[in-house]
């Protein structure tokens, strides 16, 4: 079975979008702009979440509490797994690590 591959070009719509069809190239460009907006929002939310999580940990430790609350981590893992499947579990693990650091 042949793969439909557009040859690499250094200019023109195919270089940026993978197609020489102008309407498709325009649609792809529009979709990618929205993807970039979502990526920027995700990055900002990731950073905010990590900062909040770090504040929770510092507050808990300063009050004599434990470094981790495993029941809370399990709750987060389950929420992401239920919504996104196995990839959700991996995403949740990354989020937890960003907030608390490696174990």
């Amino acid at each position: 079975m042949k793969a439909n591959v557009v040859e690499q070009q250094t200019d023109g719509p195919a270089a940026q979008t993978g197609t020489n069809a102008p309407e498709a190239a325009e649609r792809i460009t529009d979709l990618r702009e929205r993807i970039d907006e979502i990526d920027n929002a995700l990055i900002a939310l990731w950073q905010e979440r990590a900062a909040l999580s770090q504040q929770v940990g510092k507050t808990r430790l300063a009050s004599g509490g434990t470094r981790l609350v495993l029941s809370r981590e399990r709750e987060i893992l389950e929420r992401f797994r239920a919504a996104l499947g196995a990839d959700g579990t991996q995403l949740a693990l990354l989020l937890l690590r960003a907030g608390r650091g490696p174990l």
Side-chain angles (χ1 to χ4, degrees):
M1 187 164 154
K2 276 188 177 178
N4 187 6
V5 177
V6 176
E7 289 184 29
Q8 291 286 358
Q9 297 179 3
T10 57
D11 59 0
Q16 296 298 315
T17 63
T19 181
N20 285 318
E23 290 177 10
E26 184 177 345
R27 177 73 175 137
I28 290 168
T29 298
D30 291 344
L31 292 168
R32 286 181 175 170
E33 285 176 11
R34 181 62 183 136
I35 288 170
D36 290 345
E37 291 170 0
I38 292 169
D39 287 351
N40 290 334
L42 287 169
I43 290 166
L45 288 169
W46 179 287
Q47 292 169 331
E48 180 182 5
R49 187 194 189 287
L52 291 169
S53 183
Q54 289 166 10
Q55 288 177 25
V56 167
K58 287 177 184 175
T59 302
R60 190 173 44 247
L61 283 173
S63 69
T66 60
R67 179 169 181 255
L68 299 174
V69 177
L70 294 178
S71 61
R72 172 68 176 158
E73 291 204 358
R74 281 192 298 272
E75 175 187 319
I76 292 165
L77 287 166
E78 177 55 27
R79 183 178 338 129
F80 276 77
R81 187 208 56 76
L84 303 171
D87 287 341
T89 301
Q90 294 303 310
L91 177 58
L93 288 168
L94 291 169
L95 284 168
L96 291 169
R97 183 175 182 189
R100 63 154 155 70
L103 294 176

Coordinates of all heavy atoms in Angstrom, one line a residue, residues 6-102:
V6 N 3.6 14.1 0.7 CA 4.0 15.3 -0.1 C 5.5 15.5 0.1 O 6.0 15.4 1.2 CB 3.2 16.5 0.4 CG1 3.6 17.7 -0.3 CG2 1.7 16.3 0.3
E7 N 6.1 15.7 -1.1 CA 7.6 15.9 -1.0 C 7.9 17.2 -0.3 O 7.1 18.1 -0.3 CB 8.1 16.0 -2.4 CG 8.1 14.7 -3.2 CD 8.8 14.9 -4.6 OE1 9.7 15.7 -4.7 OE2 8.4 14.1 -5.5
Q8 N 9.0 17.1 0.5 CA 9.4 18.3 1.2 C 9.8 19.4 0.2 O 10.5 19.3 -0.7 CB 10.7 18.0 2.0 CG 10.4 17.1 3.2 CD 9.7 17.7 4.3 OE1 9.4 18.9 4.3 NE2 9.4 17.0 5.3
Q9 N 9.2 20.6 0.5 CA 9.5 21.8 -0.3 C 9.9 22.9 0.7 O 9.6 22.8 1.8 CB 8.3 22.3 -1.1 CG 7.8 21.3 -2.1 CD 6.5 21.8 -2.8 OE1 6.1 22.9 -2.6 NE2 6.0 20.9 -3.6
T10 N 10.7 23.8 0.2 CA 11.2 24.9 1.0 C 10.3 26.1 1.0 O 10.5 27.0 1.8 CB 12.6 25.3 0.6 OG1 12.6 25.7 -0.8 CG2 13.5 24.1 0.8
D11 N 9.3 26.2 0.0 CA 8.4 27.3 0.0 C 7.1 26.9 -0.5 O 6.9 25.8 -1.0 CB 9.0 28.5 -0.8 CG 9.3 28.1 -2.3 OD1 9.0 26.9 -2.6 OD2 9.7 28.9 -3.1
G12 N 6.1 27.7 -0.4 CA 4.7 27.4 -0.9 C 3.9 26.8 0.2 O 4.4 26.5 1.3
P13 N 2.6 26.6 -0.1 CA 1.7 26.0 1.0 C 2.1 24.6 1.4 O 1.9 24.3 2.6 CB 0.4 26.0 0.3 CG 0.6 26.3 -1.1 CD 1.9 26.9 -1.3
A14 N 2.6 23.8 0.6 CA 3.0 22.4 1.0 C 4.1 22.4 2.0 O 4.1 21.5 2.8 CB 3.4 21.6 -0.3
A15 N 5.0 23.4 2.0 CA 6.1 23.4 3.0 C 5.5 23.6 4.4 O 6.1 23.1 5.3 CB 7.1 24.5 2.6
Q16 N 4.4 24.3 4.5 CA 3.9 24.6 5.8 C 2.7 23.7 6.2 O 2.5 23.5 7.4 CB 3.4 26.1 5.9 CG 4.5 27.1 5.7 CD 5.6 26.9 6.9 OE1 5.2 26.8 8.0 NE2 6.8 27.0 6.5
T17 N 2.0 23.2 5.2 CA 0.7 22.5 5.5 C 0.7 21.0 5.1 O -0.1 20.3 5.5 CB -0.5 23.2 4.9 OG1 -0.3 23.2 3.5 CG2 -0.6 24.6 5.4
G18 N 1.6 20.6 4.2 CA 1.6 19.3 3.7 C 0.7 19.1 2.5 O 0.5 18.0 2.1
T19 N 0.1 20.2 1.9 CA -0.7 20.0 0.8 C -0.5 21.2 -0.1 O -0.2 22.3 0.3 CB -2.2 19.9 1.2 OG1 -3.0 19.8 0.0 CG2 -2.7 21.2 2.0
N20 N -0.7 21.0 -1.4 CA -0.7 22.1 -2.4 C -2.1 22.6 -2.7 O -2.2 23.6 -3.5 CB 0.0 21.6 -3.7 CG 1.5 21.4 -3.6 OD1 2.1 22.3 -3.0 ND2 2.0 20.4 -4.1
A21 N -3.1 22.0 -2.2 CA -4.5 22.5 -2.4 C -4.7 23.8 -1.6 O -4.7 23.7 -0.3 CB -5.5 21.4 -2.0
P22 N -4.9 24.9 -2.2 CA -5.0 26.2 -1.5 C -6.1 26.2 -0.4 O -5.9 26.7 0.7 CB -5.3 27.2 -2.6 CG -4.8 26.6 -3.8 CD -5.0 25.1 -3.7
E23 N -7.3 25.7 -0.7 CA -8.4 25.7 0.3 C -8.0 24.8 1.5 O -8.2 25.2 2.7 CB -9.7 25.3 -0.3 CG -10.3 26.3 -1.3 CD -11.5 25.8 -2.0 OE1 -12.1 24.7 -1.5 OE2 -12.0 26.4 -2.9
A24 N -7.4 23.7 1.3 CA -7.0 22.8 2.3 C -5.9 23.4 3.2 O -5.9 23.4 4.4 CB -6.6 21.5 1.8
A25 N -4.9 24.1 2.5 CA -3.8 24.7 3.1 C -4.3 25.8 4.0 O -3.9 26.0 5.2 CB -2.8 25.3 2.1
E26 N -5.3 26.6 3.6 CA -5.9 27.7 4.4 C -6.6 27.1 5.6 O -6.4 27.6 6.7 CB -6.8 28.5 3.5 CG -7.4 29.7 4.3 CD -8.3 30.6 3.4 OE1 -8.3 30.4 2.2 OE2 -9.0 31.4 4.0
R27 N -7.3 26.1 5.4 CA -8.1 25.4 6.5 C -7.1 24.9 7.6 O -7.3 25.0 8.8 CB -9.0 24.3 6.0 CG -9.7 23.5 7.0 CD -10.8 24.3 7.6 NE -11.6 23.5 8.6 CZ -12.0 23.9 9.8 NH1 -11.8 25.2 10.1 NH2 -12.6 23.1 10.5
I28 N -6.0 24.2 7.1 CA -5.0 23.7 8.0 C -4.3 24.8 8.8 O -4.1 24.7 10.0 CB -4.0 22.9 7.2 CG1 -4.6 21.6 6.7 CG2 -2.7 22.6 8.0 CD1 -3.8 20.8 5.7
T29 N -4.0 25.9 8.1 CA -3.4 27.1 8.8 C -4.4 27.6 9.9 O -3.9 27.9 11.0 CB -3.1 28.2 7.8 OG1 -2.1 27.6 6.8 CG2 -2.5 29.4 8.4
D30 N -5.6 27.7 9.6 CA -6.6 28.2 10.6 C -6.7 27.2 11.7 O -6.7 27.7 12.9 CB -8.0 28.4 9.9 CG -8.1 29.5 8.9 OD1 -7.2 30.4 8.9 OD2 -9.0 29.5 8.1
L31 N -6.8 26.0 11.5 CA -6.8 25.0 12.5 C -5.6 25.0 13.4 O -5.6 24.9 14.6 CB -7.0 23.6 12.0 CG -8.4 23.3 11.3 CD1 -8.3 22.0 10.5 CD2 -9.5 23.3 12.3
R32 N -4.4 25.2 12.8 CA -3.2 25.2 13.5 C -3.1 26.5 14.4 O -2.5 26.4 15.5 CB -2.0 25.1 12.6 CG -1.8 23.7 12.1 CD -0.6 23.7 11.2 NE -0.3 22.3 10.7 CZ 0.5 22.0 9.8 NH1 1.2 23.0 9.2 NH2 0.7 20.7 9.4
E33 N -3.7 27.6 13.9 CA -3.7 28.8 14.8 C -4.5 28.5 16.0 O -4.1 28.9 17.1 CB -4.3 30.0 14.0 CG -3.3 30.5 12.9 CD -4.0 31.6 12.1 OE1 -5.1 32.1 12.4 OE2 -3.3 32.0 11.1
R34 N -5.6 27.8 15.9 CA -6.4 27.5 17.1 C -5.7 26.5 18.0 O -5.7 26.7 19.2 CB -7.8 27.0 16.7 CG -8.7 26.6 17.8 CD -9.0 27.9 18.6 NE -9.8 27.5 19.8 CZ -9.7 27.9 21.0 NH1 -8.7 28.8 21.3 NH2 -10.4 27.4 22.0
I35 N -5.0 25.6 17.4 CA -4.2 24.6 18.2 C -3.1 25.4 19.0 O -2.9 25.1 20.2 CB -3.5 23.6 17.3 CG1 -4.6 22.6 16.8 CG2 -2.4 22.8 18.0 CD1 -4.2 21.6 15.7
D36 N -2.5 26.4 18.4 CA -1.5 27.2 19.0 C -2.1 28.0 20.2 O -1.5 28.1 21.3 CB -0.8 28.1 18.1 CG 0.1 27.4 17.1 OD1 0.4 26.2 17.3 OD2 0.5 28.0 16.1
E37 N -3.3 28.5 20.0 CA -4.0 29.2 21.1 C -4.3 28.3 22.3 O -4.0 28.6 23.4 CB -5.3 29.8 20.6 CG -5.1 30.9 19.6 CD -6.4 31.4 19.0 OE1 -7.5 30.8 19.3 OE2 -6.4 32.3 18.1
I38 N -4.7 27.1 21.9 CA -5.0 26.1 23.0 C -3.7 25.7 23.7 O -3.7 25.6 24.9 CB -5.7 24.9 22.4 CG1 -7.1 25.2 21.9 CG2 -5.8 23.7 23.4 CD1 -7.8 24.2 21.1
D39 N -2.6 25.5 22.9 CA -1.4 25.1 23.5 C -0.9 26.2 24.5 O -0.4 25.9 25.6 CB -0.3 24.9 22.5 CG -0.5 23.6 21.7 OD1 -1.3 22.8 22.1 OD2 0.2 23.4 20.7
N40 N -1.0 27.5 24.1 CA -0.6 28.6 25.0 C -1.5 28.6 26.3 O -0.9 28.8 27.4 CB -0.8 29.9 24.3 CG 0.3 30.1 23.2 OD1 1.4 29.5 23.3 ND2 0.0 30.9 22.2
A41 N -2.8 28.3 26.2 CA -3.6 28.2 27.3 C -3.2 27.1 28.2 O -3.2 27.2 29.5 CB -5.1 28.1 26.9
L42 N -3.0 25.9 27.6 CA -2.5 24.7 28.4 C -1.2 25.0 29.2 O -1.1 24.6 30.3 CB -2.4 23.5 27.5 CG -3.7 22.9 26.9 CD1 -3.3 21.9 25.9 CD2 -4.5 22.3 28.1
I43 N -0.3 25.6 28.5 CA 1.0 26.0 29.2 C 0.7 26.9 30.4 O 1.3 26.7 31.4 CB 2.0 26.6 28.2 CG1 2.4 25.5 27.2 CG2 3.2 27.2 28.9 CD1 3.1 26.1 25.9
A44 N -0.1 27.9 30.2 CA -0.4 28.9 31.3 C -1.1 28.1 32.4 O -0.7 28.3 33.6 CB -1.2 30.0 30.8
L45 N -2.0 27.3 32.1 CA -2.8 26.6 33.1 C -1.8 25.6 33.8 O -1.9 25.4 35.0 CB -4.0 25.8 32.5 CG -5.1 26.7 32.1 CD1 -6.1 26.0 31.3 CD2 -5.8 27.4 33.3
W46 N -1.0 24.9 33.1 CA 0.0 24.0 33.7 C 0.9 24.7 34.7 O 1.0 24.2 35.8 CB 0.9 23.4 32.5 CG 1.9 22.4 33.0 CD1 3.1 22.7 33.7 CD2 1.9 21.0 32.8 NE1 3.8 21.6 33.9 CE2 3.1 20.5 33.4 CE3 1.0 20.1 32.3 CZ2 3.4 19.2 33.4 CZ3 1.3 18.8 32.3 CH2 2.5 18.3 32.8
Q47 N 1.4 25.9 34.3 CA 2.2 26.6 35.2 C 1.5 27.1 36.4 O 2.0 27.0 37.6 CB 2.9 27.8 34.5 CG 3.9 27.4 33.4 CD 4.3 28.5 32.5 OE1 3.6 29.4 32.2 NE2 5.5 28.4 32.0
E48 N 0.2 27.5 36.2 CA -0.6 28.0 37.4 C -0.9 26.8 38.3 O -0.8 26.9 39.5 CB -1.9 28.6 36.9 CG -2.8 29.1 38.0 CD -4.1 29.7 37.5 OE1 -4.4 29.6 36.3 OE2 -4.9 30.1 38.4
R49 N -1.2 25.7 37.7 CA -1.5 24.5 38.5 C -0.3 24.1 39.3 O -0.4 23.7 40.5 CB -2.0 23.4 37.7 CG -2.5 22.2 38.5 CD -2.7 20.9 37.6 NE -3.4 19.9 38.4 CZ -2.8 19.2 39.3 NH1 -1.6 19.4 39.7 NH2 -3.5 18.3 40.0
A50 N 0.8 24.0 38.7 CA 2.1 23.6 39.4 C 2.4 24.6 40.6 O 2.7 24.1 41.7 CB 3.2 23.6 38.4
A51 N 2.2 25.9 40.4 CA 2.5 26.8 41.4 C 1.5 26.7 42.6 O 1.9 26.7 43.7 CB 2.4 28.3 40.9
L52 N 0.2 26.4 42.3 CA -0.8 26.2 43.3 C -0.5 25.0 44.1 O -0.5 24.9 45.3 CB -2.2 26.2 42.7 CG -2.7 27.5 42.2 CD1 -4.0 27.2 41.4 CD2 -3.0 28.5 43.3
S53 N -0.1 23.9 43.4 CA 0.2 22.6 44.0 C 1.4 22.8 45.0 O 1.4 22.2 46.1 CB 0.4 21.6 43.0 OG 0.7 20.3 43.6
Q54 N 2.4 23.5 44.5 CA 3.6 23.7 45.3 C 3.2 24.5 46.6 O 3.7 24.3 47.7 CB 4.7 24.5 44.5 CG 5.3 23.6 43.5 CD 6.1 24.3 42.4 OE1 6.4 25.5 42.6 NE2 6.5 23.6 41.4
Q55 N 2.3 25.5 46.5 CA 1.8 26.3 47.6 C 1.1 25.3 48.6 O 1.3 25.5 49.8 CB 0.9 27.4 47.2 CG 1.7 28.5 46.5 CD 0.7 29.6 46.1 OE1 -0.4 29.8 46.6 NE2 1.1 30.4 45.0
V56 N 0.3 24.4 48.1 CA -0.4 23.5 49.0 C 0.6 22.7 49.7 O 0.5 22.5 51.0 CB -1.3 22.5 48.1 CG1 -1.8 21.4 49.0 CG2 -2.5 23.3 47.6
G57 N 1.6 22.1 49.0 CA 2.6 21.3 49.7 C 3.4 22.1 50.8 O 3.6 21.6 51.9
K58 N 3.8 23.3 50.5 CA 4.5 24.1 51.4 C 3.7 24.4 52.6 O 4.2 24.4 53.8 CB 5.0 25.4 50.8 CG 6.2 25.2 49.8 CD 6.5 26.5 49.1 CE 7.6 26.3 48.1 NZ 8.0 27.5 47.3
T59 N 2.4 24.8 52.4 CA 1.5 25.0 53.5 C 1.3 23.8 54.4 O 1.3 23.9 55.6 CB 0.2 25.6 53.0 OG1 0.4 26.7 52.2 CG2 -0.8 25.9 54.1
R60 N 1.1 22.7 53.8 CA 1.0 21.4 54.5 C 2.2 21.1 55.3 O 2.1 20.8 56.5 CB 0.6 20.3 53.5 CG 0.2 19.0 54.2 CD -0.3 17.9 53.3 NE 0.5 17.7 52.2 CZ 0.1 18.0 50.9 NH1 -1.0 18.5 50.6 NH2 1.0 17.8 49.9
L61 N 3.4 21.2 54.7 CA 4.6 20.9 55.5 C 4.8 21.9 56.6 O 5.2 21.5 57.7 CB 5.8 20.9 54.5 CG 6.0 19.7 53.6 CD1 7.1 19.9 52.6 CD2 6.2 18.4 54.5
A62 N 4.6 23.2 56.3 CA 4.8 24.2 57.4 C 3.9 24.0 58.6 O 4.2 24.4 59.7 CB 4.5 25.6 56.8
S63 N 2.7 23.3 58.4 CA 1.8 23.1 59.5 C 2.0 21.7 60.1 O 1.2 21.3 60.9 CB 0.4 23.2 59.0 OG 0.1 22.1 58.1
G64 N 3.1 21.1 59.7 CA 3.4 19.8 60.3 C 2.8 18.6 59.6 O 2.9 17.5 60.1
G65 N 2.2 18.8 58.5 CA 1.6 17.8 57.7 C 2.6 17.0 56.9 O 3.8 17.2 56.9
T66 N 2.1 16.0 56.1 CA 2.9 15.1 55.3 C 3.3 15.8 54.0 O 2.6 16.8 53.6 CB 2.2 13.8 55.0 OG1 1.0 14.1 54.3 CG2 1.8 13.1 56.3
R67 N 4.3 15.3 53.4 CA 4.7 15.9 52.1 C 3.7 15.5 51.0 O 3.4 16.4 50.2 CB 6.1 15.3 51.7 CG 6.6 15.7 50.3 CD 8.0 15.4 50.1 NE 8.4 15.9 48.8 CZ 8.6 15.1 47.7 NH1 8.4 13.8 47.8 NH2 8.9 15.7 46.6
L68 N 3.1 14.3 51.1 CA 2.2 13.9 50.1 C 0.9 13.4 50.8 O 0.9 13.0 51.9 CB 2.7 12.7 49.3 CG 4.0 12.9 48.5 CD1 4.4 11.6 47.8 CD2 3.7 14.0 47.4
V69 N -0.2 13.6 50.0 CA -1.5 13.0 50.5 C -1.8 12.0 49.3 O -2.4 12.4 48.3 CB -2.6 14.0 50.7 CG1 -3.9 13.4 51.1 CG2 -2.1 15.0 51.8
L70 N -1.5 10.7 49.5 CA -1.7 9.7 48.5 C -3.1 9.6 48.0 O -3.4 9.4 46.9 CB -1.1 8.4 48.9 CG 0.4 8.4 49.1 CD1 0.9 7.1 49.5 CD2 1.1 8.8 47.8
S71 N -4.1 9.7 48.9 CA -5.5 9.6 48.6 C -5.9 10.7 47.6 O -6.6 10.5 46.6 CB -6.4 9.6 49.8 OG -6.3 10.9 50.5
R72 N -5.3 11.9 47.8 CA -5.6 13.0 46.8 C -4.9 12.7 45.5 O -5.6 12.9 44.4 CB -5.0 14.3 47.4 CG -5.0 15.5 46.5 CD -6.4 16.0 46.2 NE -6.4 17.2 45.3 CZ -7.3 17.6 44.6 NH1 -8.5 17.0 44.5 NH2 -7.2 18.7 43.8
E73 N -3.7 12.2 45.5 CA -3.1 11.8 44.2 C -3.9 10.7 43.5 O -4.1 10.8 42.3 CB -1.6 11.4 44.4 CG -0.8 12.6 44.8 CD 0.7 12.5 44.5 OE1 1.1 11.4 44.0 OE2 1.4 13.4 44.8
R74 N -4.3 9.7 44.2 CA -5.2 8.7 43.6 C -6.4 9.3 43.0 O -6.9 8.9 41.9 CB -5.5 7.6 44.6 CG -4.3 6.6 44.8 CD -4.8 5.4 45.6 NE -5.2 5.7 46.9 CZ -4.5 5.8 48.0 NH1 -3.2 5.6 47.9 NH2 -5.0 6.0 49.2
E75 N -7.0 10.2 43.7 CA -8.3 10.9 43.2 C -8.0 11.6 41.9 O -8.8 11.5 40.9 CB -8.7 11.9 44.2 CG -9.9 12.7 43.9 CD -10.2 13.8 44.9 OE1 -10.1 13.5 46.1 OE2 -10.5 14.9 44.5
I76 N -6.9 12.3 41.8 CA -6.6 13.0 40.6 C -6.3 12.0 39.4 O -6.8 12.2 38.3 CB -5.4 13.9 40.8 CG1 -5.8 15.1 41.8 CG2 -4.8 14.5 39.5 CD1 -4.6 15.8 42.4
L77 N -5.5 11.0 39.7 CA -5.2 10.0 38.7 C -6.5 9.3 38.2 O -6.6 9.1 37.0 CB -4.3 8.9 39.3 CG -2.8 9.3 39.5 CD1 -2.1 8.3 40.4 CD2 -2.1 9.5 38.2
E78 N -7.4 9.0 39.1 CA -8.6 8.4 38.6 C -9.5 9.3 37.8 O -10.1 8.9 36.8 CB -9.4 7.9 39.9 CG -10.8 7.3 39.5 CD -10.7 6.1 38.5 OE1 -9.7 5.4 38.4 OE2 -11.7 5.9 37.8
R79 N -9.5 10.6 38.2 CA -10.3 11.6 37.4 C -9.8 11.7 36.0 O -10.6 11.6 35.0 CB -10.3 12.9 38.1 CG -11.1 14.0 37.4 CD -11.1 15.3 38.0 NE -10.8 15.3 39.4 CZ -9.9 16.1 40.0 NH1 -9.3 17.0 39.2 NH2 -9.6 16.1 41.3
F80 N -8.5 11.7 35.8 CA -7.9 11.8 34.5 C -8.1 10.5 33.7 O -8.3 10.6 32.5 CB -6.4 12.3 34.6 CG -6.3 13.8 34.7 CD1 -6.5 14.4 35.9 CD2 -5.9 14.5 33.6 CE1 -6.3 15.8 36.0 CE2 -5.7 15.9 33.7 CZ -6.0 16.5 34.9
R81 N -7.9 9.4 34.4 CA -8.1 8.1 33.7 C -9.5 7.9 33.2 O -9.7 7.5 32.1 CB -7.7 7.0 34.6 CG -7.7 5.6 33.9 CD -8.0 4.4 34.8 NE -9.3 4.6 35.5 CZ -10.5 4.4 35.0 NH1 -10.6 4.1 33.7 NH2 -11.6 4.5 35.7
A82 N -10.5 8.3 34.0 CA -11.9 8.2 33.7 C -12.2 9.1 32.5 O -13.0 8.7 31.6 CB -12.8 8.5 34.8
A83 N -11.6 10.2 32.4 CA -11.9 11.2 31.3 C -11.1 10.9 30.1 O -11.7 11.1 28.9 CB -11.7 12.6 31.8
L84 N -9.9 10.4 30.2 CA -9.0 10.3 29.0 C -8.4 9.0 28.8 O -7.6 8.8 27.9 CB -7.9 11.4 29.2 CG -8.3 12.8 29.4 CD1 -7.1 13.7 29.7 CD2 -9.0 13.3 28.1
G85 N -8.7 8.0 29.6 CA -8.1 6.7 29.5 C -6.7 6.6 29.9 O -6.2 7.4 30.8
A86 N -5.9 5.7 29.4 CA -4.5 5.5 29.8 C -3.7 6.7 29.6 O -2.8 7.0 30.4 CB -3.9 4.3 29.0
D87 N -3.9 7.5 28.5 CA -3.2 8.7 28.3 C -3.5 9.7 29.4 O -2.6 10.5 29.8 CB -3.5 9.4 27.0 CG -2.9 8.6 25.8 OD1 -2.0 7.8 26.0 OD2 -3.4 8.8 24.7
G88 N -4.7 9.7 30.0 CA -5.1 10.6 31.1 C -4.3 10.3 32.3 O -3.8 11.2 33.0
T89 N -4.0 9.0 32.6 CA -3.2 8.6 33.7 C -1.8 9.2 33.6 O -1.2 9.7 34.5 CB -3.2 7.1 33.8 OG1 -4.5 6.6 34.0 CG2 -2.3 6.6 35.0
Q90 N -1.2 9.1 32.4 CA 0.1 9.6 32.1 C 0.2 11.1 32.3 O 1.1 11.6 32.9 CB 0.6 9.2 30.7 CG 0.8 7.7 30.6 CD 1.8 7.1 31.6 OE1 2.9 7.6 31.8 NE2 1.4 6.1 32.3
L91 N -0.9 11.8 31.8 CA -0.9 13.2 31.9 C -1.0 13.6 33.4 O -0.3 14.5 33.8 CB -2.1 13.8 31.1 CG -2.4 15.3 31.2 CD1 -1.2 16.1 30.7 CD2 -3.6 15.6 30.4
A92 N -1.9 12.9 34.1 CA -2.0 13.2 35.6 C -0.7 13.0 36.3 O -0.3 13.8 37.2 CB -3.1 12.3 36.2
L93 N 0.0 12.0 36.0 CA 1.3 11.7 36.6 C 2.3 12.9 36.3 O 3.0 13.3 37.2 CB 1.9 10.4 36.1 CG 1.3 9.1 36.7 CD1 1.7 7.9 35.9 CD2 1.5 9.0 38.2
L94 N 2.3 13.4 35.1 CA 3.1 14.5 34.8 C 2.7 15.8 35.6 O 3.5 16.5 36.1 CB 3.1 14.8 33.3 CG 3.8 13.8 32.4 CD1 3.5 14.0 30.9 CD2 5.3 13.8 32.6
L95 N 1.4 16.0 35.6 CA 0.9 17.2 36.4 C 1.3 17.1 37.9 O 1.7 18.1 38.5 CB -0.6 17.3 36.3 CG -1.2 17.8 35.0 CD1 -2.7 17.5 34.9 CD2 -0.9 19.2 34.8
L96 N 1.1 15.9 38.4 CA 1.5 15.7 39.8 C 2.9 16.0 40.1 O 3.3 16.6 41.0 CB 1.0 14.3 40.3 CG -0.5 14.1 40.4 CD1 -0.7 12.6 40.6 CD2 -1.1 14.9 41.5
R97 N 3.8 15.4 39.2 CA 5.2 15.7 39.3 C 5.6 17.1 39.2 O 6.4 17.6 39.9 CB 5.9 14.8 38.3 CG 7.4 14.9 38.4 CD 8.2 14.0 37.5 NE 9.6 14.2 37.8 CZ 10.5 13.7 37.0 NH1 10.2 12.9 36.0 NH2 11.8 13.9 37.3
A98 N 4.9 17.8 38.3 CA 5.2 19.3 38.1 C 4.9 20.0 39.4 O 5.5 21.0 39.7 CB 4.4 19.8 37.0
G99 N 3.9 19.6 40.1 CA 3.5 20.3 41.3 C 4.2 19.9 42.6 O 4.5 20.7 43.5
R100 N 4.7 18.7 42.7 CA 5.4 18.2 43.9 C 6.8 17.8 43.7 O 7.5 17.6 44.6 CB 4.6 17.0 44.5 CG 4.6 15.8 43.6 CD 4.4 14.6 44.4 NE 3.8 13.5 43.6 CZ 4.4 12.9 42.6 NH1 5.6 13.2 42.2 NH2 3.8 11.9 41.9
G101 N 7.2 17.7 42.4 CA 8.6 17.3 42.1 C 8.6 15.8 42.1 O 7.6 15.1 42.4
P102 N 9.8 15.2 41.7 CA 9.9 13.7 41.6 C 9.9 13.1 43.0 O 10.3 13.8 44.0 CB 11.2 13.5 40.9 CG 12.0 14.8 41.1 CD 11.0 15.9 41.3

